[in-house]
């Protein structure tokens, strides 16, 4: 089992940037595919981005591609999500999730989830 903790959320103006972090503990982090999801009030949880175990592959939803960047530093047991050119519509709780199946299935399912970090974009 792996424990995930998100951080880096906050209030930002439209057009601004944030960097979210997903810190992992409990298992060898490089064995996990990691994804980011978000959920806005009254909306279904939606996939945002995913990264393969060594970071060689990434996948983004159409709504964020070109604006968000996922990366990882396995030596630090951390996955990052850089959010640029933020829009009001990006406001949501952002969750990271880990998949230990060994398969590249960026949209899930995922085995472990963090508790989320709030991103609020003002406009």
């Amino acid at each position: 089992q792996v424990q995930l903790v998100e951080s880096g959320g906050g209030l930002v103006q439209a057009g601004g940037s944030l960097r979210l972090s997903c810190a992992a503990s409990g298992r060898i982090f490089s064995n996990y595919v990691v994804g980011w999801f978000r959920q806005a009030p009254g909306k279904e949880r939606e996939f945002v981005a995913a990264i393969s175990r060594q970071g060689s592959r990434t996948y983004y939803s159409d709504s964020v591609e070109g604006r968000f960047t996922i990366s990882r530093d396995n030596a630090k047991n951390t996955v990052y999500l850089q959010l640029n050119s933020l829009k009001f519509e990006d406001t949501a709780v952002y969750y990271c999730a880990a998949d230990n199946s060994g398969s590249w299935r960026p949209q899930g399912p995922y085995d472990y989830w963090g508790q989320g970090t709030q991103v609020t974009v003002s406009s």
Side-chain angles (χ1 to χ4, degrees), residues 2 4 22-25 27-34 51-57 70-80 98:
V2 63
L4 305 173
C22 175
S25 63
R27 291 284 186 172
I28 300 174
F29 190 52
S30 60
N31 288 344
Y32 294 84
V33 171
V34 175
I51 189 165
S52 61
R53 291 176 294 174
Q54 299 302 319
S56 61
R57 289 184 285 185
I70 189 170
S71 61
R72 70 190 299 161
D73 186 343
N74 287 338
K76 296 182 178 179
N77 287 354
T78 302
V79 167
Y80 304 96

Side-chain angles (χ1 to χ4, degrees), residues 8-55:
L11 176 64
V12 65
Q13 299 175 45
S17 298
L18 285 172
R19 189 180 74 162
L20 308 183
S21 297
C22 175
S25 63
R27 291 284 186 172
I28 300 174
F29 190 52
S30 60
N31 288 344
Y32 294 84
V33 171
V34 175
W36 284 94
F37 293 77
R38 66 187 182 185
Q39 187 167 26
K43 301 287 186 64
E44 291 281 306
R45 184 186 66 193
E46 67 170 335
F47 170 80
V48 175
I51 189 165
S52 61
R53 291 176 294 174
Q54 299 302 319

Side-chain angles (χ1 to χ4, degrees), residues 9 30 41 52 70 99-100 108 113-114 122:
S30 60
S52 61
I70 189 170
D99 170 16
N100 69 350
W113 294 80
S122 63

